[in-house]
């Protein structure tokens, strides 16, 4: 057993964070804010921070969550719109990285190829590769946090003949810098009609020379547009009047929680919401498309989309919707499942992400995390954060941590605060390892799967599910207030680790000592006050006054 002197002589434990997107930057900022801790390194495969908002450059890319909640709770910002566009959101996180001096801790253009736990030395051996030079290296860290999130690996639809196409082809998540120029005067196929497609299709069809055919599999539930541009007066008030922006953040948060109840609450609220969204689709879209555009599945089963003028764009003559299905891709176009061949110059995939596959190769005590997921019929974690058999390894926005109605930044903050509580005894070298137990992990996931089985998420295919129709692995079955409460403080009985029990016993003894001292001080103050009051005749006066009041 190391002595306190031995522990103090050791260098501070290293924290490795994978990803300099919203989750990774949030954790790094919290480590500095809450612990003053800076022995962390962020590995980022891209050329800059920002993650999703750096990579997503397609026209119209924006947040469907109000910016006052899609930002850190500790960081006020002068937003120009109620819902920000990708460039402004990216700039916000770049500014925070500079403000908190995170760049010296970030290794850009560096991809993590694997991470292996060494149980003898109690560290992760993290294999790295420079994406520009191909140079390989190894980094060791006592704590490993994956902040790559769910929306990391673009999913290309497995369509026959995809590699035979002679024209240009890309995924919306990898939009070329000159993409709009490349589309000018072209026949464009858009495969997919989810959130990304409904944002960029109205933008690219503003050019009448671009002829777009969008291949749709299932319709979406649309809600009215919500983005507004803030006036100069409103921005001044938010910026200079104390507490106003924080109050508005609180209002928006609870409005989003109410939105959850409207969509996922009881049958009455769900029925009312369905009627409202149906009315909006019928009022905004061309009448001849109503039958195809109104979904047959329950509202909320797939991601609900806030309209960004997509329905209005359906009136344009250079935009067609095709519901026949893609049969195969040929050299110069697409053959539908009905056998019709349509020629195209460009194919854009808007087919989402592989959310049911963890792209990072992490090996724990008993094997790779992919084997653990396969054993459980899909990804699962303890409270979306920890995994049994993987000491000192945690995820931000991991399995079961997603939300279909509110800010992922709130979720990231919640998990970051939780992770910091878990790793604090490791960083102070009071504990060597922290690992969640198998039993509570299984119990927790059985509980959320039972809840999910009673929700609309089981009613259709979606990216929330393994393979689109299997286990629901990406979503949390409740409002974010419940998620926050469940991660507010660790339930230490659900964890094990080298030195953890001894540390918990010491902490309990310290807490008992603190409470005892506090009670003694309080009783001493009360007793002293009583003696002083009695000696000065105050108590006698109070008693006499009380008697008079009662007799009156």
């Amino acid at each position: 057993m190391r002595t306190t002197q031995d522990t103090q002589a050791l260098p501070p434990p290293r924290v490795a964070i994978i990803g300099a997107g919203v989750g990774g930057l949030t954790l790094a900022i919290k480590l500095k804010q809450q612990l003053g801790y800076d022995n962390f390194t962020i590995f980022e495969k891209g050329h800059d921070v920002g993650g999703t908002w750096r990579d997503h450059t397609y026209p119209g890319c924006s947040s469907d969550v109000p910016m006052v909640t899609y930002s850190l709770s500790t960081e006020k910002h002068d937003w120009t719109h109620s819902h920000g566009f990708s460039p402004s959101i990216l700039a916000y996180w770049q500014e925070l990285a500079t403000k908190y001096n995170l760049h010296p801790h970030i290794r850009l253009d560096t991809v993590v190829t694997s991470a292996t736990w060494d149980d003898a030395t109690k560290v992760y051996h993290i294999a790295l590769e420079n994406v520009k030079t191909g140079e390989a290296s190894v980094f060791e860290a006592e704590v490993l946090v994956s902040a790559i999130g769910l929306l990391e690996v673009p999913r290309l639809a497995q369509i026959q003949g995809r590699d035979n196409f002679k024209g240009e082809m890309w995924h919306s998540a990898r939009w070329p810098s000159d993409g709009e120029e490349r589309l000018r005067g072209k026949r464009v196929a858009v495969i997919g009609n989810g959130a990304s497609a409904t944002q960029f299709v109205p933008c690219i069809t503003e050019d009448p020379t671009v002829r777009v055919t969008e291949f749709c599999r299932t319709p979406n539930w649309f809600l009215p547009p919500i983005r507004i541009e803030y006036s100069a007066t409103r921005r001044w008030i938010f910026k200079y009047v104390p507490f106003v922006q924080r109050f508005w953040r609180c209002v928006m948060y609870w409005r989003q929680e109410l939105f959850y109840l409207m969509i996922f609450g009881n049958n009455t609220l769900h029925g009312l919401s369905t009627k409202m969204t149906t009315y909006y689709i019928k009022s905004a879209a061309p009448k001849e498309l109503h039958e195809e555009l109104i979904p047959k599945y329950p509202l909320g089963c797939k991601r609900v989309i806030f309209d960004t003028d997509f329905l209005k764009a359906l009136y344009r003559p250079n935009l067609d919707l095709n519901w026949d299905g893609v049969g195969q891709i040929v050299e110069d176009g697409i053959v539908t499942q009905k056998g019709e061949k349509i020629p195209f110059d460009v194919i854009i995939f808007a087919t989402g992400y592989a959310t049911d596959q963890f792209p990072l190769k992490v090996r724990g005590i008993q094997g790779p995390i992919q084997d653990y997921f396969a054993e459980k019929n899909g990804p699962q974690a303890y409270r979306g954060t920890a995994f049994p058999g993987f000491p000192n390894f945690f995820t931000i926005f991991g399995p079961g941590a997603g939300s279909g109605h509110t800010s992922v930044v709130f979720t990231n903050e919640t998990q970051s605060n939780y992770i910091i509580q878990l790793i604090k005894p490791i960083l102070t070298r009071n504990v060597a390892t922290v690992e969640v137990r198998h039993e509570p992990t299984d119990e927790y996931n059985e509980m959320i799967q039972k809840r999910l089985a009673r929700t609309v998420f089981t009613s259709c295919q979606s990216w929330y599910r393994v393979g689109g129709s299997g286990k629901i692995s990406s979503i949390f079955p409740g409002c974010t207030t419940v998620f926050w409460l469940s991660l507010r403080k660790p339930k230490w009985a659900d964890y094990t680790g080298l030195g953890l029990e001894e540390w918990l016993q010491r902490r309990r003894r310290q807490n008992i000592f603190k409470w005892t001292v506090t009670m003694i001080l309080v009783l001493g103050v009360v007793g002293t006050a009583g003696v002083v009051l009695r000696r000065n005749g105050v108590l006698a006066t109070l008693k006499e006054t009380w008697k008079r009041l009662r007799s009156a």
Side-chain angles (χ1 to χ4, degrees), residues 198-348:
T198 57
Q199 287 183 346
F200 73 74
V201 165
C203 295
I204 64 175
T205 54
E206 286 181 344
D207 183 346
T209 70
V210 180
R211 180 76 193 187
V212 174
T213 300
E214 185 172 7
F215 290 88
C216 309
R217 186 171 60 181
T218 52
N220 296 296
W221 287 107
F222 284 95
L223 293 172
I226 50 176
R227 179 178 294 103
I228 61 170
E229 184 175 358
Y230 286 150
S231 66
T233 302
R234 186 167 185 169
R235 290 174 61 184
W236 187 92
I237 292 172
F238 276 174
K239 189 173 182 179
Y240 294 109
V241 180
F243 306 114
V244 172
Q245 191 176 97
R246 182 161 292 279
F247 171 76
W248 189 242
R249 175 187 171 91
C250 183
V251 171
M252 288 295 100
Y253 174 80
W254 288 111
R255 193 172 82 169
Q256 290 163 342
E257 294 292 82
L258 178 61
F259 176 69
Y260 176 85
L261 294 177
M262 290 293 294
I263 302 297
F264 305 105
N266 58 43
N267 291 334
T268 301
L269 291 175
H270 188 270
L272 177 61
S273 301
T274 301
K275 289 180 180 179
M276 292 169 60
T277 51
T278 300
Y279 173 80
Y280 173 70
I281 294 172
K282 288 184 175 181
S283 65
K287 186 175 181 179
E288 63 271 18
L289 297 179
H290 289 178
E291 184 63 28
E292 294 172 330
L293 287 174
I294 297 174
K296 304 298 188 294
Y297 57 83
L299 176 68
C301 176
K302 291 177 180 284
R303 180 178 176 180
V304 180
I305 296 176
F306 286 95
D307 190 14
T308 50
D309 292 333
F310 176 77
L311 298 182
K312 185 190 298 184
L314 295 177
Y315 286 95
R316 294 172 183 163
N318 60 330
L319 173 59
D320 294 318
L321 300 185
N322 189 302
W323 301 88
D324 295 340
V326 178
Q328 63 175 316
I329 297 175
V330 293
E331 290 186 356
D332 58 347
I334 288 175
V335 178
T336 70
Q337 291 180 2
K338 291 186 177 181
E340 180 188 6
K341 179 183 175 181
I342 308 175
F344 292 108
D345 306 302
V346 181
I347 296 177
I348 302 174

Side-chain angles (χ1 to χ4, degrees), residues 21-31 33 72 93 102 396 409 412-414 416-417 420:
V22 174
L25 296 179
T26 297
L27 178 60
I29 291 169
K30 296 291 182 183
L31 282 169
Q33 284 180 331
L72 287 183
W93 290 100
L102 298 182
I396 295 176
V409 179
N412 288 345
E413 282 199 81
T414 298
S416 293
N417 292 333
I420 285 175

Side-chain angles (χ1 to χ4, degrees), residues 57-77:
T57 59
Y58 62 79
C61 181
S62 59
S63 169
D64 59 4
V65 175
M67 296 316 302
V68 287
T69 57
Y70 198 85
S71 52
L72 287 183
S73 60
T74 57
E75 303 297 326
K76 255 181 36 169
H77 188 71

